[in-house]
Amino acid sequence: MQVAKRSGDLIDQKRRARTAANALRMQAHKTLGERSGLMLAQHELPINRKDGFGSVSGFYPYQAEINVLPLLARLVSEGWLTALPVVMAKGEPLTFRAWAPGEPTGRGIWDIHVPLETAPELQPDVLLVPMLAFDRRGYRLGYGGGFYDRTLAELRKLKPVVAIGVAYAEQEMDEVPIASYDEPLDWILTERGVIEPKR
């Protein structure tokens, strides 16, 4: 695993990678549109529910993110408890509140849909993680806020959790620039199917 050693180099590498990844995602979103969410929902999560996993956090699609709402709706029909993340403050881990497709939402930071404040908080067993890019090692390129890295680091101290990066297949890169604090994904899910990382 190659980790960028100088912070200035890493910042520049990630900035350039984000620019390229955003263009790829926009193109994929334009090409596939809402079909991608339905395609995504046809794939099974690589999770054995007999291991005690019963709750999953998704995300409300923002800008050109792939739409996981059809997948969440299917998971609810299968008995999963579903939730959405909420940004509480800069530099803090995410909070998760119970929510299912069709239930009302409010607006959070960056005008992203979030569950109402009255929705109960939970600690998900499975996290569907949005991203700008991914590689076959299981590393993701996020938006730069570090919210999911902090959240995964905290949750993994408390209990077994499974992080599944979700994106368009076209968002794959040969190698995502990473730092020592970047939390790896356990699986990747695209509209084409599940990818098991090779590290």
Side-chain angles (χ1 to χ4, degrees):
M1 175 176 68
Q2 294 181 345
V3 177
K5 295 182 179 178
R6 292 189 296 176
S7 61
D9 290 346
L10 179 60
I11 290 170
D12 187 55
Q13 287 175 30
K14 287 195 172 188
R15 179 186 56 78
R16 285 185 276 115
R18 285 188 182 101
T19 299
N22 193 53
L24 289 172
R25 186 177 70 173
M26 289 294 291
Q27 184 57 47
H29 187 70
K30 182 179 178 181
T31 302
L32 292 172
E34 288 305 307
R35 283 189 302 134
S36 61
L38 300 175
M39 295 165 71
L40 200 65
Q42 294 176 8
H43 303 294
E44 296 297 324
L45 296 186
I47 305 296
N48 186 349
R49 293 200 57 194
K50 293 180 181 177
D51 292 334
F53 297 112
S55 60
V56 56
S57 169
F59 53 90
Y60 208 100
Y62 177 67
Q63 296 182 343
E65 288 175 344
I66 195 166
N67 186 359
V68 301
L69 299 186
L71 174 59
L72 289 181
R74 197 200 81 210
L75 293 174
V76 168
S77 74
E78 294 173 357
W80 288 84
L81 176 62
T82 56
L84 292 179
V86 181
V87 175
M88 301 305 291
K90 184 178 179 181
E92 295 293 324
L94 298 165
T95 293
F96 299 91
R97 293 188 195 135
W99 182 85
E103 293 181 352
T105 60
R107 294 297 180 115
I109 292 178
W110 302 298
D111 208 32
I112 296 173
H113 288 265
V114 296
L116 301 180
E117 292 185 3
T118 53
E121 292 186 12
L122 58 82
Q123 289 182 340
D125 303 312
V126 180
L127 287 82
L128 303 181
V129 183
M131 52 189 173
L132 278 171
F134 66 90
D135 63 27
R136 293 281 171 148
R137 300 172 301 166
Y139 286 98
R140 66 182 278 274
L141 184 67
Y143 301 108
F147 291 106
Y148 274 97
D149 291 315
R150 279 187 292 274
T151 302
L152 286 170
E154 289 299 314
L155 284 175
R156 283 169 168 163
K157 292 176 188 174
L158 301 174
K159 66 175 188 175
V161 296
V162 178
I164 304 174
V166 188
Y168 292 103
E170 292 301 318
Q171 291 174 248
E172 181 177 350
M173 287 187 164
D174 290 338
E175 189 170 289
V176 170
I178 60 170
S180 58
Y181 52 78
D182 286 318
E183 290 284 326
L185 299 165
D186 299 296
W187 299 90
I188 296 154
L189 176 63
T190 77
E191 78 280 6
R192 297 179 189 170
V194 174
I195 297 170
E196 182 176 5
K198 305 245 185 284
R199 285 191 276 274

